[in-house]
Amino acid sequence: MIETTTLVDQNCHGVLRTELGLGTFEAQLGRTAGPPAAGTTFFDTQTGFAVRRWCPPLLGLEPHTSPAGYLARRRELGVLEAGRRLLRGTGVTTYLVDTGLPGDLTAPEEIAAAGAAEAREIVRLELLAQQVADTSGTVDALLANLAHAVHTAAESAVAFVSVTAMRHGAARAAEPPDAGDVRAAAGRWLAARRVGGRLTDPVLLRHLLWTAVATGLPLQLHAGGGDGCRADCADGGTARIAGFAAATAGLGSDLVLLHGLPYHRQAARLAAAFPHVYVDLGPALAHTGARAADVLAEVLELAPFGKLLYSSGARGLPELHVVGARVFRQALARVLGGWAADGSWALADAQRVAEMIASGNARRIYGLDEI
């Protein structure tokens, strides 16, 4: 039997502090632009079935309890107690928390306390830049304050993350942009920011990425079909990441490609091709549910085992933290345990690789044992 003693969730988000009704819970569960089809529910998905399999026992119910029965028990316990039970049922020992999402979400120290675990912050570059722009009146002030903010954040954070940079910022070139181009881009964005403009300028985004690389911290890049993916970005940004990976090789900053589904094979190939590139699956395993072992096996076909990291990518619902961890452990046991059972692998090697993926690789990359 393959078991993992510790689990580092190398990219996740906080959970909602408020009580949730059925509609709000389902909206968080579905994570789509619109409601479910008429007469249906987001519980009728692989993620919904996984929630009903793994979460009810943590709240004192039988597995596969009905959605109505489950939510009634959740309300009975209250949001704090339900969240505490759920997070402590994940087996996660360290959360690396991207704090860049809007909404009433718990901070790293809150999720650590609720989950009886450790937590560290991942700083989202786009949000940091927006905060700096809103307090900078001139181009010179913006660029100086941005450099200062990134380097100050690096003193306490374990990593930076960018959601949109590979969809916009590396479209034309991977190398650092010219200083004159950066100043022009900063001026355009300051004007746009006065009316709420988001950071999408490719020059300024590349400048932001390279500022983060200069700190030496790991840089997480979204490489899947999620937030910020545009219709003209059919590979989730992996082709653009290849150029950026080549340009940053040997500079001391690792790149971690997040949440690759449905482009997980391309992301795994990049992890194999570049020494400083790593890959995770994030919520892909929760989304694929009962088929998670097949997705995990595909990545293990291509990525070196020292390059693969666990993350849940969970946000909003503590249930998604549970599902991410439980489905990952089950998929890992099925894949690696199966290879050991048929004699392809030694059981000791399967156990060692499981520990690497579950926590060892993350602890090494983010220097968690040095903190």
Side-chain angles (χ1 to χ4, degrees):
M1 178 66 177
I2 304 298
E3 297 181 352
T4 52
T5 56
T6 61
L7 194 60
V8 174
D9 190 341
Q10 71 99 39
N11 180 274
C12 64
H13 309 274
V15 300
L16 289 165
R17 297 186 178 97
T18 52
E19 297 282 359
L20 302 179
L22 175 61
T24 306
F25 189 94
E26 284 203 28
Q28 293 290 323
L29 188 63
R31 294 274 299 276
T32 62
T40 71
T41 167
F42 282 132
F43 274 100
D44 288 331
T45 59
Q46 288 282 12
T47 305
F49 274 44
V51 166
R52 291 176 53 216
R53 163 62 183 91
W54 296 111
C55 296
L58 297 176
L59 304 187
L61 301 172
E62 292 295 318
H64 310 296
T65 296
S66 70
Y70 177 77
L71 292 177
R73 175 59 173 163
R74 202 180 191 276
R75 288 192 297 272
E76 178 185 341
L77 290 170
V79 65
L80 293 178
E81 177 61 15
R84 187 187 68 83
R85 293 190 185 193
L86 290 164
L87 290 173
R88 295 188 181 194
T90 63
V92 172
T93 54
T94 306
Y95 296 95
L96 306 188
V97 185
D98 173 356
T99 56
L101 287 178
D104 189 23
L105 299 176
T106 52
E109 58 271 19
E110 294 174 275
I111 198 170
E118 297 178 351
R120 298 299 304 274
E121 183 181 13
I122 301 167
V123 172
R124 185 171 291 209
L125 288 171
E126 290 88 348
L127 177 62
L128 185 65
Q130 290 167 12
Q131 293 169 340
V132 169
D134 290 343
T135 58
S136 301
T138 66
V139 169
D140 287 336
L142 171 60
L143 295 178
N145 292 342
L146 188 59
H148 177 73
V150 170
H151 286 276
T152 299
E155 294 175 1
S156 58
V158 292
F160 292 103
V161 62
S162 173
V163 179
T164 60
M166 284 300 121
R167 280 74 184 259
H168 301 281
R172 298 180 179 88
E175 293 75 19
D178 176 79
D181 292 337
V182 171
R183 286 185 58 82
R188 291 193 299 270
W189 189 47
L190 270 182
R193 188 65 191 159
R194 295 189 184 101
V195 292
R198 297 179 64 189
L199 179 54
T200 59
D201 187 285
V203 172
L204 202 54
L205 280 167
R206 275 195 291 134
H207 173 70
L208 191 60
L209 288 180
W210 280 97
T211 303
V213 166
T215 69
L217 283 187
L219 174 59
Q220 299 181 347
L221 301 170
H222 278 239
D227 295 341
C229 192
R230 308 182 307 175
D232 66 346
C233 193
D235 64 351
T238 52
R240 296 171 184 175
I241 290 172
F244 186 67
T248 54
L251 298 183
S253 181
D254 291 323
L255 307 181
V256 183
L257 311 188
L258 301 178
H259 315 347
L261 194 76
Y263 312 109
H264 51 291
R265 296 183 69 87
Q266 293 97 315
R269 288 192 184 96
L270 290 177
F274 295 98
H276 65 309
V277 175
Y278 297 79
V279 66
D280 82 350
L281 284 170
L285 297 185
H287 291 167
T288 49
R291 295 278 293 177
D294 299 305
V295 178
L296 178 61
E298 287 186 354
V299 175
L300 288 168
E301 291 174 1
L302 297 167
F305 309 136
K307 294 297 201 73
L308 185 58
L309 308 170
Y310 166 72
S311 82
S312 68
R315 71 182 190 186
L317 300 179
E319 283 83 357
L320 298 179
H321 288 270
V322 174
V323 167
R326 295 296 183 95
V327 170
F328 166 75
R329 279 191 160 110
Q330 184 183 62
L332 201 64
R334 285 180 177 175
V335 175
L336 301 188
W339 293 343
D342 69 14
S344 298
W345 284 29
L347 181 59
D349 284 335
Q351 182 63 52
R352 180 173 58 84
V353 170
E355 296 286 358
M356 289 168 58
I357 298 170
S359 62
N361 293 336
R363 302 199 74 83
R364 183 183 73 253
I365 294 164
Y366 298 105
L368 298 180
D369 292 329
E370 303 169 7
I371 296 170

